[in-house]
Amino acid sequence: MDEYGNSGEGRATRRDEAVRAAVEQGLLGPDSPIVGLLDVTGIRESAAELRAAFAEVTAPGTPVLHAFAVKATPLVPVLRLLREEGIGAEVASPGELALARAAGLSPAQTVLDSPAKTPAELREALALGIAVNADNPQELDRIDGLVRSAVSRSPLGIRVNPQLGGGSIGATSTATATSKFGVALRDEGAREWVMRAYLDRPWLSRLHAHTGSQGIPLPLMAQGVAETYALAEEINRRIGRPQIDTIDIGGGLPVNFASDVTAPTYAEYARALREAAPGLFDGRYGLVTEFGRSLLAKHGTIVARVEYAKSAGGRAVAVTHAGVQVATRTVYVPGSWPLRITAYDGKGRPKSGPEVVQDVAGPACFAGDLLAEGRALPLLDQGDYAAALDTGAYYFAHHYAYNSLARPGIYGFVPAHAGGVRFATVRDPQTLSSIVAESGGAHAGALTTLHAPGSR
Ligand SMILES: *Cc1c(COP(=O)(O)O)cnc(C)c1O
């Protein structure tokens, strides 16, 4: 166990206490059969660990902005908590920008990346002074027009793709030869185009790459950053002055979904980066990072009540309230995104007893809606709870409206005096009237008023 408790023992204890307290305090029960829980202590620890890891490898005084990738956990209270921990926001849509602003993040703490920014989005970002990374030549054209027509304080850069290849999960591999992101550096003429772009635009001061993600090995990530650094050096040498003053290394640190241990750690990654590109940390460049999953994943837990416990073809099946609506990737691509499941009894206490191979099913009406298939766990009974661990990023904050299942309430927790637990509401459970409203409730008659010519 290191100073940040990366063995995860503290995390597991806090989680167990929170599940029990959620049942005792009525957040979880027959009428609220699913919740998302966020471990505030753990989130603060990860933020501190991130800051410390880069402080350790950078020259004193190096400006470093850690911008949390909002898409990982798009919840305003989470962004506000991270802001208090000195973490900014990386946004990739007008919605995410609105969330960051609602959390009180300043333009200087915000970075806009996205592969499909509209002219209006670009104009707003430049008016606010938010950093923007152009994804492609057409977008840079649009930025040219805006820069000509108005003064902006926005730091501006270009996103490149070093095309190093993918990892074990295709859908989250950002640096493949044919990735849709950034300027593909190894394509014919691309490097020269990037060089010209900087030579012609003295206001282009940043270079961005995001080459990691779940399934990408650390050395490949470090190589992506090293190649980006080498390109910045080459550009600055050609121009004859340090025009690029900041390198945005993206996020993408993978998460260990197999146990409570944090691995790899930010400290390990930062050291690997310093080894791969020592010059990046010698104080000549400011740094931006964009971690998402690695900051939040291990601090979220979905807890769902077992509505029915049945048996089919000799297999025990626990029918719970957590399935595809909160664990979309896991349900559709279970091989790439397995989740740990723990069993709690009806009072929210960890369940013991012999392990039985069983399915943990969700509430949606299709056969594949399984949170876990053939998993060995203490046998789940009716009224027990199943918890899906490490779901703080890209899970319960990414509701999928299959079967019009309601978005669950999300609660943050901290240990309280005398073994208690204090909760705060992060997001209320979705109401039925909200589901109706989001499903066109205000336009109930809309289609019946449309008649093609000649029809009745
Ligand atoms: C998704 C994304 C991130 C965050 O990735 P994680 O794997 O969650 O750390 C960072 N930067 C960009 C540009 C992204 O698209």
Side-chain angles (χ1 to χ4, degrees), residues 225-266:
V225 172
E227 295 211 359
T228 308
Y229 162 74
L231 176 62
E233 289 280 275
E234 190 184 330
I235 293 169
N236 284 348
R237 228 179 295 121
R238 268 280 281 282
I239 296 177
R241 70 178 183 95
Q243 179 175 319
I244 295 177
D245 60 21
T246 301
I247 298 183
D248 181 337
I249 65 169
L253 194 67
V255 164
N256 167 28
F257 284 95
S259 77
D260 276 316
V261 174
T262 301
T265 63
Y266 287 126

Coordinates of all heavy atoms in Angstrom, one line a residue, residues 225-266:
V225 N 3.2 10.1 -27.1 CA 3.5 11.4 -26.6 C 4.9 11.8 -27.0 O 5.1 13.0 -27.4 CB 3.4 11.4 -25.0 CG1 3.9 12.7 -24.4 CG2 1.9 11.2 -24.6
A226 N 5.8 10.9 -27.1 CA 7.2 11.2 -27.5 C 7.2 11.7 -28.9 O 7.9 12.6 -29.3 CB 8.1 9.9 -27.3
E227 N 6.4 11.0 -29.8 CA 6.4 11.5 -31.2 C 5.8 12.9 -31.3 O 6.2 13.7 -32.2 CB 5.6 10.4 -32.0 CG 6.4 9.1 -32.0 CD 6.2 8.3 -33.3 OE1 5.5 8.8 -34.2 OE2 6.8 7.2 -33.4
T228 N 4.8 13.2 -30.5 CA 4.2 14.5 -30.5 C 5.2 15.5 -30.1 O 5.3 16.6 -30.7 CB 2.9 14.5 -29.6 OG1 2.1 13.4 -30.0 CG2 2.2 15.8 -29.8
Y229 N 5.9 15.2 -29.0 CA 7.0 16.1 -28.5 C 8.0 16.3 -29.6 O 8.4 17.5 -29.9 CB 7.6 15.5 -27.3 CG 9.0 16.1 -26.9 CD1 9.1 17.4 -26.4 CD2 10.1 15.4 -27.2 CE1 10.3 17.9 -26.1 CE2 11.4 15.9 -26.9 CZ 11.5 17.2 -26.4 OH 12.7 17.8 -26.1
A230 N 8.4 15.3 -30.3 CA 9.5 15.4 -31.3 C 9.0 16.3 -32.5 O 9.7 17.1 -33.0 CB 9.8 14.0 -31.9
L231 N 7.7 16.2 -32.8 CA 7.1 17.0 -33.8 C 7.1 18.5 -33.4 O 7.5 19.4 -34.2 CB 5.7 16.6 -34.2 CG 4.9 17.5 -35.2 CD1 5.6 17.5 -36.5 CD2 3.5 17.0 -35.3
A232 N 6.8 18.8 -32.1 CA 6.8 20.1 -31.6 C 8.3 20.7 -31.7 O 8.5 21.9 -32.1 CB 6.3 20.2 -30.2
E233 N 9.2 19.9 -31.4 CA 10.6 20.3 -31.4 C 11.0 20.7 -32.9 O 11.6 21.7 -33.1 CB 11.5 19.2 -30.9 CG 11.4 19.0 -29.4 CD 12.2 20.0 -28.6 OE1 13.5 19.8 -28.4 OE2 11.6 21.0 -28.2
E234 N 10.6 19.8 -33.8 CA 10.9 20.0 -35.2 C 10.3 21.3 -35.7 O 10.9 22.1 -36.4 CB 10.4 18.8 -36.0 CG 10.9 18.7 -37.4 CD 10.2 17.5 -38.2 OE1 9.9 16.5 -37.5 OE2 10.0 17.7 -39.4
I235 N 9.0 21.5 -35.3 CA 8.4 22.7 -35.8 C 9.1 24.0 -35.2 O 9.3 24.9 -35.9 CB 6.9 22.7 -35.4 CG1 6.1 21.6 -36.1 CG2 6.2 24.1 -35.6 CD1 4.7 21.3 -35.6
N236 N 9.3 24.0 -33.9 CA 10.0 25.1 -33.3 C 11.4 25.4 -33.9 O 11.8 26.5 -34.1 CB 10.1 24.9 -31.8 CG 8.7 25.2 -31.1 OD1 7.8 25.7 -31.7 ND2 8.6 24.8 -29.9
R237 N 12.1 24.3 -34.2 CA 13.4 24.4 -34.8 C 13.3 25.1 -36.2 O 14.0 26.0 -36.5 CB 14.1 23.1 -34.9 CG 15.5 23.1 -34.4 CD 16.1 21.7 -34.5 NE 15.5 20.7 -33.7 CZ 14.9 19.5 -34.1 NH1 14.9 19.2 -35.4 NH2 14.4 18.7 -33.3
R238 N 12.3 24.6 -37.0 CA 12.1 25.2 -38.3 C 11.7 26.7 -38.3 O 12.2 27.5 -39.1 CB 11.0 24.5 -39.0 CG 11.3 23.3 -39.9 CD 11.8 23.6 -41.3 NE 10.9 23.9 -42.4 CZ 10.1 23.1 -43.0 NH1 10.1 21.8 -42.7 NH2 9.3 23.5 -44.0
I239 N 10.9 27.0 -37.3 CA 10.4 28.4 -37.2 C 11.5 29.3 -36.5 O 11.6 30.5 -36.8 CB 9.1 28.5 -36.4 CG1 8.0 27.7 -37.1 CG2 8.7 29.9 -36.1 CD1 6.7 27.6 -36.4
G240 N 12.4 28.6 -35.7 CA 13.5 29.4 -35.1 C 13.1 30.1 -33.8 O 13.8 31.0 -33.4
R241 N 11.9 29.8 -33.3 CA 11.6 30.3 -32.0 C 10.5 29.3 -31.4 O 9.9 28.5 -32.1 CB 10.9 31.7 -32.1 CG 9.6 31.7 -32.7 CD 9.0 33.1 -32.8 NE 7.6 33.0 -33.4 CZ 6.5 32.9 -32.7 NH1 6.5 32.9 -31.4 NH2 5.3 32.8 -33.3
P242 N 10.4 29.3 -30.0 CA 9.5 28.4 -29.4 C 8.0 28.7 -29.5 O 7.4 29.1 -28.6 CB 9.9 28.4 -27.9 CG 10.6 29.7 -27.7 CD 11.1 30.2 -29.0
Q243 N 7.6 28.7 -30.8 CA 6.2 29.1 -31.1 C 5.2 28.1 -30.4 O 4.2 28.6 -29.8 CB 5.9 29.1 -32.6 CG 4.5 29.4 -32.9 CD 4.3 29.5 -34.4 OE1 5.1 30.0 -35.2 NE2 3.2 29.0 -34.9
I244 N 5.5 26.8 -30.5 CA 4.7 25.9 -29.7 C 5.2 25.9 -28.3 O 6.3 25.6 -28.0 CB 4.7 24.4 -30.3 CG1 4.2 24.4 -31.7 CG2 4.0 23.5 -29.3 CD1 4.3 23.1 -32.3
D245 N 4.3 26.4 -27.4 CA 4.7 26.6 -26.0 C 4.0 25.6 -25.0 O 4.3 25.5 -23.8 CB 4.6 28.0 -25.5 CG 3.1 28.5 -25.5 OD1 2.2 27.6 -25.6 OD2 2.9 29.7 -25.6
T246 N 3.1 24.8 -25.6 CA 2.3 23.9 -24.7 C 1.9 22.7 -25.5 O 1.5 22.7 -26.7 CB 1.0 24.6 -24.3 OG1 1.3 25.8 -23.5 CG2 0.1 23.7 -23.4
I247 N 2.1 21.5 -24.9 CA 1.8 20.3 -25.5 C 0.7 19.6 -24.7 O 0.8 19.5 -23.5 CB 3.0 19.3 -25.7 CG1 4.1 20.0 -26.6 CG2 2.6 18.0 -26.2 CD1 5.3 19.2 -26.8
D248 N -0.4 19.3 -25.4 CA -1.5 18.6 -24.8 C -1.4 17.1 -25.1 O -1.5 16.7 -26.2 CB -2.8 19.2 -25.4 CG -4.1 18.6 -24.8 OD1 -4.0 17.5 -24.2 OD2 -5.1 19.3 -24.9
I249 N -1.1 16.4 -24.0 CA -0.8 14.9 -24.2 C -2.0 14.0 -24.1 O -1.9 12.8 -24.2 CB 0.2 14.4 -23.2 CG1 -0.3 14.5 -21.8 CG2 1.5 15.3 -23.3 CD1 0.6 13.8 -20.8
G250 N -3.2 14.6 -24.0 CA -4.4 13.8 -24.0 C -4.6 13.0 -22.7 O -3.9 13.3 -21.7
G251 N -5.5 12.0 -22.8 CA -5.7 11.2 -21.6 C -5.5 9.8 -21.9 O -4.4 9.4 -22.5
G252 N -6.4 8.9 -21.5 CA -6.4 7.6 -22.0 C -5.7 6.6 -21.2 O -5.4 5.4 -21.6
L253 N -5.3 6.9 -19.9 CA -4.7 5.9 -19.1 C -5.7 4.8 -18.8 O -6.8 5.0 -18.4 CB -4.2 6.5 -17.8 CG -3.2 5.7 -17.0 CD1 -1.9 5.6 -17.7 CD2 -3.0 6.3 -15.6
P254 N -5.3 3.5 -19.1 CA -6.2 2.4 -18.9 C -6.5 2.2 -17.4 O -5.7 2.6 -16.5 CB -5.5 1.2 -19.5 CG -4.2 1.7 -20.1 CD -4.0 3.1 -19.6
V255 N -7.6 1.5 -17.1 CA -8.0 1.3 -15.7 C -8.0 -0.2 -15.5 O -8.4 -1.0 -16.4 CB -9.4 1.8 -15.5 CG1 -10.1 1.3 -14.3 CG2 -9.4 3.4 -15.4
N256 N -7.6 -0.7 -14.3 CA -7.7 -2.1 -14.0 C -9.1 -2.4 -13.5 O -9.5 -2.0 -12.4 CB -6.6 -2.3 -12.8 CG -6.8 -3.7 -12.2 OD1 -7.3 -4.6 -12.8 ND2 -6.5 -3.8 -10.9
F257 N -9.8 -3.2 -14.3 CA -11.2 -3.5 -13.9 C -11.2 -4.9 -13.2 O -12.3 -5.4 -12.9 CB -12.1 -3.6 -15.1 CG -12.5 -2.3 -15.6 CD1 -11.8 -1.6 -16.7 CD2 -13.6 -1.6 -15.1 CE1 -12.2 -0.4 -17.1 CE2 -14.0 -0.3 -15.6 CZ -13.3 0.3 -16.6
A258 N -10.0 -5.5 -12.9 CA -10.0 -6.8 -12.4 C -9.9 -6.9 -10.8 O -10.1 -7.9 -10.2 CB -8.8 -7.6 -13.0
S259 N -9.5 -5.8 -10.2 CA -9.4 -5.8 -8.7 C -9.5 -4.3 -8.3 O -9.6 -3.4 -9.1 CB -8.1 -6.4 -8.3 OG -7.0 -5.5 -8.4
D260 N -9.4 -4.1 -6.9 CA -9.4 -2.8 -6.4 C -8.1 -2.0 -6.6 O -8.1 -0.8 -6.3 CB -9.9 -2.8 -4.9 CG -11.4 -2.9 -4.8 OD1 -12.1 -2.2 -5.5 OD2 -11.8 -3.7 -4.0
V261 N -7.1 -2.7 -7.0 CA -5.8 -2.0 -7.2 C -5.8 -1.0 -8.3 O -6.3 -1.3 -9.4 CB -4.7 -3.1 -7.4 CG1 -3.3 -2.5 -7.7 CG2 -4.6 -4.1 -6.2
T262 N -5.2 0.1 -8.1 CA -5.1 1.1 -9.1 C -3.8 0.8 -9.9 O -2.7 0.8 -9.4 CB -4.9 2.5 -8.5 OG1 -6.0 2.9 -7.8 CG2 -4.7 3.6 -9.6
A263 N -4.0 0.4 -11.2 CA -2.8 0.0 -12.0 C -3.2 0.2 -13.5 O -4.2 -0.3 -13.9 CB -2.4 -1.4 -11.7
P264 N -2.3 0.9 -14.3 CA -1.1 1.6 -13.8 C -1.5 2.8 -13.0 O -2.6 3.3 -13.2 CB -0.4 1.9 -15.1 CG -1.5 2.0 -16.1 CD -2.6 1.0 -15.7
T265 N -0.5 3.4 -12.3 CA -0.8 4.6 -11.6 C -0.3 5.8 -12.4 O 0.4 5.7 -13.4 CB 0.1 4.6 -10.2 OG1 1.4 4.6 -10.6 CG2 -0.3 3.4 -9.4
Y266 N -0.8 7.0 -12.0 CA -0.4 8.2 -12.7 C 1.2 8.4 -12.5 O 1.8 8.8 -13.5 CB -1.1 9.4 -12.1 CG -2.5 9.5 -12.5 CD1 -3.5 9.6 -11.6 CD2 -2.9 9.5 -13.9 CE1 -4.8 9.8 -11.9 CE2 -4.2 9.6 -14.2 CZ -5.2 9.7 -13.3 OH -6.5 9.8 -13.7

